[in-house]
Amino acid sequence: MDFRDSPEEAAFRDQARAWLTANATPRDPAQVEPGVFEHWPSAEQMQAARAWQRRKFDAGWAGVFWPPEYGGRGGTIMQQIIWNQEERRVVTPPAVLLMGQGHVGYTLLSHGTPEQKQRWLPPTLRGEYAWCQLFSEPGAGSDFAALACAATREGDAWRIRGEKIWISDGAYADFGFLVTRTDPDGPKHKGLTCFVVDMRAPGVSVLDVRHPNGGSHFSHVRFEDLRVADADRVGAVNDGWRVALTTLMYERFFVGAWGSSGAFGGPQLRHLLELAAKCERNGRSALQDGAVRQRLAAFAVRAKALTHMSYRVLTTVSQGGIPGPEGSIVKMEFARMSQEMANFGLELMGPEAMLAGTDAPWDGVFQAALLENPCMRIAGGTDEIQRTIIGERLLGLPQEQPPPKGLPFRDMPRGGGWRSPLGDDAPRRSGAF
Amino acid sequence: MNFAYTPAQLALAEELAVLLGRFEAPPKLRALADAGIAAFDAELWQALAEQQWLGHSMGPDQHHRDLGTEEQTLVAYEAGRALASVPLLATLLAGQALNTAGSAAYQDELAVGALRVALCLPPPGAETPAVAVSGDKASGRLSPVADGLVADAVLCADAKGDAWLVDLRRPTARRRQLATLDLAHTAAELDIDSALAHPLGPADGLRARAAILTAFEQLGGAQRCLDLAVAYAKERYAFGQPIGAFQAVKHKLAALHVEIELARANAYYGASALTDADPTSLSLAAALARASATDTYLTAAQECLHIHGGVGFTWACEAHLHLRRARALEAALGSAAVWREGLVDSPVLLASL
Ligand SMILES: Cc1cc2nc3c(=O)[nH]c(=O)nc-3n(C[C@H](O)[C@H](O)[C@H](O)COP(=O)(O)OP(=O)(O)OC[C@H]3O[C@@H](n4cnc5c(N)ncnc54)[C@H](O)[C@@H]3O)c2cc1C
């Protein structure tokens, strides 16, 4: 039972840390990170992000677990995670290129042809291509296999018509990983096909969608007769569901793995404790108030449980496995906890909770969190969808399937309840009361 | 990163699970309660001794399983799952504590099951229950003491915060049986008069160790509750389908699974703090493990009962045995709130954020 690095992991970490120390400045770990949903990155920030990526690439640190033939380091997923943890300790440009190296990149690695991988992956690692994931539609979110964006074959090309929504990184993505419907006559899961699309091609329009905080970090994407070469199709025709599942699995996985860097609740909790020390309850520091102490302590128990849970997930990775649905526990519970923490911070603040920005305590990070945190309970599969997955895949509970109306009673599945447990039942009463 | 048990450890746990399963506690506990007999499974205790689950690591020449700390956590987990009606944890704790205190006393008796130990430490922040010790003689009244009716010794503390193993046979302590909520373990009031006492060092460390081992016992109980509820949700039909298909039930069970896994993660951290023997992280780890597991077991027992519907509200259903046990375990070493109390002042916690 050891959550520390193995000797090999420690050696790799030292190497990574040495390079990062020489090439970047340390980040103040107490700093709550600014929300990613405030604004799209500026042109300078994009440039800085690409330049930082290029530097990592040139030094051999891009795509730690990607194969060398596509520009990667050929390491293990565990090493990739160690690298990510270490990179979090230094100041970097906004992480606008993550998707390409994360779940979208990994999908291409798993399902692309050698030619496709050669074409897309090395430039991605060099920071030349930013990616987005084009799955959700106005009519298909949780039930994303119900998507309708149509791809129809025209010789050696496809014509795409339809729309996608909630597309993170959409405004600056160079390429998109798209799931379409190619066979509306087949069953829901059997008629999907995946493509890589050029987000700047004619026929693609990208509109900002604003968040509750007024900022924008996702887009509404419309395809009006976009032409895509068949060479840009990923996976077999009508086999897109299987391909897309890879994306979703790795999305869940990368989120679950973050926790080990202490990102899950640590900085927020520290802020909450500092806040409580400055706020007043019943005539004394809120930190001395029994009820406040209990709330804070309960957050501490939860935050540490999430960190320790991510160690368990990482153990699977460290031993060469890929975590299943248990990986989503960390994302789901972190999201709920963050929301509650922001609520409690605002409650402690009293009247100042109505302020925002620099007029509010701590430059308004709690107010910002109030408006930003709800997204985590939705993105990457809502709480409800995660619970259904846990119930069905981990606990083996059946899918909901109401019996057909009009089913004869004799055929109706019934029973399974009280069995008179002979001998275990209450003793029979003799005599009257 | 290796935050998991080894296959060998899991095999050991499985072996114990099979043994405990043979003794089928739930029906036995109900029968004992019906007959008004205080629970203690003497045959199981004998089997545990024969199969060398009680002894402590005393060197390779001794005929004992080498139960290290992680193995002990698994033993606690299985005992919780099976509602084992024996004073297993306290006996293991006593052996470990004597070992750590450098005392060879009692080890042979412990190993053969001739020294059954009860645990009676005050919760964090409390000074009672406690004995008064002068020289190597302890006196005082301890109440309530879980397993006190069947114990040969009690692991307790004095008012100064030192822990002692008090021999209840020299001279014989007076015991008064108390009616218990928990049907798996007895409770008694002990009047101790100049009984032989062995020093075990500061009670704090021992309490932390007890809390972590108990957290595993609580988790075992919680997992059993979830397993029972899931099995029932698959076999019970309503409105033409298994009740586990209904989202309200499915999501409740999924949420319980999540609570158990998170509590397990904190318990693992407790286990790692014990093996590290790092006193700075130990009290934090104990508080995290204890607070998570205590809340979780109680929730699990209550949800398990509820998912069984009317069946759950019967003497015959196992759920109430866990409900009783969950409350008793909470009472014995302090509620989750008591263990959370000092957390926000913990420098170790702050340093880890
Ligand atoms: C910040 C953010 C970033 C995103 N980024 C991307 C992206 O880059 N690419 C992309 O493709 N998508 C992205 N999404 C979309 C995201 O995956 C969907 O929003 C999500 O899956 C939910 O779908 P929906 O919005 O259509 O909600 P719905 O599916 O309409 O859900 C509405 C409500 O109904 C509940 N519900 C739905 N079905 C069930 C059910 N079977 N049982 C119980 N309750 C149910 C949901 O839990 C939810 O509370 C992003 C979303 C957000 C918020």
Side-chain angles (χ1 to χ4, degrees):
Chain A
M1 200 68 72
D2 192 353
F3 52 83
R4 279 160 301 204
D5 289 332
S6 69
E8 303 80 56
E9 288 163 359
F12 180 82
R13 188 182 298 280
D14 286 345
Q15 250 184 307
R17 195 173 290 185
W19 188 85
L20 284 162
T21 311
N23 287 274
T25 49
R27 195 173 58 83
D28 173 8
Q31 190 79 33
V32 169
E33 279 152 76
V36 291
F37 298 106
E38 300 279 319
H39 304 289
W40 294 110
S42 65
E44 293 76 48
Q45 283 174 314
M46 277 312 289
Q47 208 33 57
R50 291 187 199 269
W52 172 242
Q53 184 62 34
R54 178 72 206 212
R55 242 165 97 193
K56 289 191 283 181
F57 179 87
D58 289 341
W61 289 107
V64 171
F65 74 114
W66 287 23
E69 62 260 46
Y70 306 120
R73 195 183 177 86
T76 62
I77 294 198
M78 192 62 200
Q79 290 179 335
Q80 175 76 60
I81 289 166
I82 292 173
W83 168 266
N84 294 354
Q85 291 170 347
E86 291 302 314
E87 195 178 3
R88 273 185 50 81
R89 297 160 62 97
V90 299
V91 180
T92 55
V96 290
L97 301 171
L98 264 188
M99 219 183 284
Q101 289 151 60
H103 47 288
V104 168
Y106 204 76
T107 311
L108 296 174
L109 264 175
S110 306
H111 297 281
T113 64
E115 182 276 328
Q116 289 175 327
K117 294 190 228 186
Q118 214 39 267
R119 197 145 52 94
W120 293 318
L121 296 180
T124 299
L125 284 191
R126 290 195 299 265
E128 290 156 27
Y129 296 170
W131 289 79
C132 64
Q133 171 192 350
L134 299 152
F135 282 28
S136 305
E137 298 182 5
S142 299
D143 183 13
F144 112 85
L147 64 87
C149 177
T152 42
R153 185 142 206 165
E154 293 182 348
D156 61 357
W158 296 77
R159 179 194 298 274
I160 316 273
R161 298 184 68 106
E163 57 184 331
K164 295 285 173 180
I165 191 120
W166 327 131
I167 305 306
S168 303
D169 303 0
Y172 53 76
D174 303 292
F175 288 91
F177 184 70
L178 172 71
V179 193
T180 62
R181 176 139 328 257
T182 34
D183 181 10
D185 298 319
K188 186 165 92 174
H189 294 92
K190 300 255 170 73
L192 303 177
T193 305
C194 296
F195 297 92
V196 165
V197 298
D198 177 352
M199 293 296 284
R200 317 240 195 272
V204 183
S205 61
V206 182
L207 301 160
D208 287 358
V209 181
R210 293 179 77 193
H211 303 303
N213 65 5
S216 191
H217 206 267
F218 59 20
S219 310
H220 180 191
V221 177
R222 278 209 295 256
F223 300 108
E224 279 154 278
D225 295 328
L226 168 70
R227 272 179 64 84
V228 178
D230 190 52
D232 296 347
R233 169 170 51 79
V234 179
V237 175
N238 294 335
D239 194 30
W241 175 246
R242 205 168 60 86
V243 178
L245 281 186
T246 306
T247 317
L248 298 182
M249 183 179 83
Y250 277 95
E251 181 179 30
R252 186 170 64 208
F253 164 67
F254 282 110
V255 173
W258 277 341
S260 57
S261 61
F264 280 146
Q268 288 97 323
L269 184 58
R270 184 197 295 264
H271 266 81
L272 204 51
L273 290 168
E274 288 169 6
L275 179 72
K278 300 229 166 109
C279 294
E280 205 182 279
R281 266 280 166 104
N282 302 321
R284 56 188 172 175
S285 157
L287 206 47
Q288 301 306 319
D289 180 83
V292 173
R293 291 171 67 82
Q294 282 293 326
R295 286 287 298 277
L296 293 172
F299 284 131
V301 172
R302 198 94 187 144
K304 297 315 284 182
L306 288 169
T307 303
H308 301 145
M309 186 71 203
S310 73
Y311 294 160
R312 296 179 59 202
V313 174
L314 283 190
T315 297
T316 308
V317 180
S318 178
Q319 295 171 356
I322 289 292
E326 67 268 23
S328 61
I329 291 178
V330 179
K331 151 173 112 134
M332 174 168 65
E333 294 306 319
F334 173 59
R336 283 169 8 109
M337 180 183 73
S338 309
Q339 210 169 12
E340 288 169 20
M341 278 186 175
N343 287 342
F344 191 51
L346 292 168
E347 180 191 323
L348 284 175
M349 259 174 222
E352 290 191 310
M354 74 174 81
L355 305 176
T358 49
D359 284 333
W362 271 267
D363 289 344
V365 289
F366 287 92
Q367 284 82 352
L370 176 78
L371 296 175
E372 181 169 325
N373 286 349
C375 77
M376 284 184 294
R377 296 183 52 195
I378 302 168
T382 65
D383 291 358
E384 288 71 26
I385 296 304
Q386 306 289 356
R387 287 208 183 101
T388 297
I389 292 173
I390 289 171
E392 291 175 4
R393 302 257 309 278
L394 287 181
L395 303 180
L397 294 167
Q399 285 187 338
E400 198 159 350
Q401 240 158 15
K405 280 255 181 288
L407 185 73
F409 175 72
R410 75 166 65 83
D411 297 333
M412 176 83 90
R414 287 175 293 131
W418 169 257
R419 285 181 304 263
S420 176
L422 284 176
D424 222 356
D425 204 350
R428 228 170 280 273
R429 297 253 164 219
S430 53
F433 277 91
Chain B
M1 181 73 62
N2 190 8
F3 209 48
Y5 291 108
T6 64
Q9 289 171 328
L10 294 173
L12 192 76
E14 180 55 30
E15 199 185 321
L16 180 59
V18 169
L19 174 67
L20 295 173
R22 272 218 311 280
F23 284 83
E24 262 197 297
K28 210 180 280 178
L29 295 177
R30 284 189 292 263
L32 289 173
D34 280 338
I37 300 170
F40 168 65
D41 193 335
E43 287 170 26
L44 168 60
W45 187 249
Q46 198 48 44
L48 288 169
E50 276 161 19
Q51 297 192 17
Q52 299 170 359
W53 290 98
L54 303 179
H56 227 280
S57 169
M58 302 184 326
D61 50 324
Q62 306 279 344
H63 291 288
H64 301 304
R65 289 168 193 270
D66 199 6
L67 291 189
T69 291
E70 289 181 13
E71 287 76 10
Q72 289 175 34
T73 62
L74 283 169
V75 167
Y77 183 80
E78 294 303 336
R81 211 149 67 122
L83 284 168
S85 182
V86 286
L88 186 50
L89 252 67
T91 302
L92 287 175
L93 265 169
Q96 170 92 29
L98 286 168
N99 245 4
T100 312
S103 167
Y106 297 129
Q107 293 292 2
D108 290 340
E109 279 181 285
L110 282 168
V112 297
L115 192 88
R116 305 185 291 227
V117 182
L119 179 71
C120 183
L121 290 172
E127 285 172 8
T128 55
V131 290
V133 181
S134 136
D136 64 350
K137 297 282 188 283
S139 301
R141 172 175 292 178
L142 294 177
S143 179
V145 182
D147 296 321
L149 205 59
V150 298
D152 305 298
V154 60
L155 209 165
C156 57
D158 63 22
K160 289 192 298 257
D162 284 318
W164 301 85
L165 186 66
V166 175
D167 195 328
L168 298 170
R169 306 166 301 185
R170 294 172 220 180
T172 312
R174 271 190 304 137
R175 306 164 198 245
R176 187 164 68 88
Q177 182 177 356
L178 304 171
T180 49
L181 180 63
D182 182 4
L183 297 186
H185 290 257
T186 61
E189 179 185 88
L190 301 180
D191 273 316
I192 299 164
D193 189 8
S194 302
L196 190 62
H198 284 264
L200 299 178
D204 274 352
L206 208 58
R207 187 195 295 110
R209 190 175 186 91
I212 292 167
L213 284 186
T214 312
F216 280 92
E217 181 179 357
Q218 292 167 312
L219 267 175
Q223 183 66 52
R224 172 71 179 161
C225 291
L226 176 62
D227 292 346
L228 285 171
V230 166
Y232 192 74
K234 287 178 188 170
E235 70 179 43
R236 169 61 169 169
Y237 280 76
F239 302 96
Q241 54 187 319
I243 56 167
F246 297 119
Q247 210 171 62
V249 172
K250 183 180 292 169
H251 284 190
K252 197 190 266 291
L253 292 170
L256 183 55
H257 170 82
V258 167
E259 290 312 309
I260 290 174
E261 292 313 311
L262 290 177
R264 199 190 303 275
N266 270 344
Y268 279 17
Y269 178 62
S272 73
L274 279 182
T275 38
D276 261 8
D278 168 8
T280 55
S281 68
L282 187 59
S283 65
L284 170 67
L288 296 174
R290 171 80 184 173
S292 292
T294 304
D295 285 344
T296 301
Y297 192 13
L298 201 55
T299 309
Q302 270 158 354
E303 295 294 23
C304 174
L305 191 154
H306 181 77
I307 296 243
H308 281 80
V311 168
F313 197 63
T314 61
W315 180 250
C317 180
E318 194 176 316
H320 71 96
L321 298 176
H322 289 281
L323 186 55
R324 292 161 176 275
R325 182 87 187 120
R327 269 297 177 202
L329 282 175
E330 173 186 36
L333 219 49
S335 68
V338 165
W339 283 87
R340 280 193 299 258
E341 172 52 33
L343 267 183
V344 297
D345 308 317
S346 159
V348 190
L349 172 73
L350 294 182
S352 79
L353 297 180

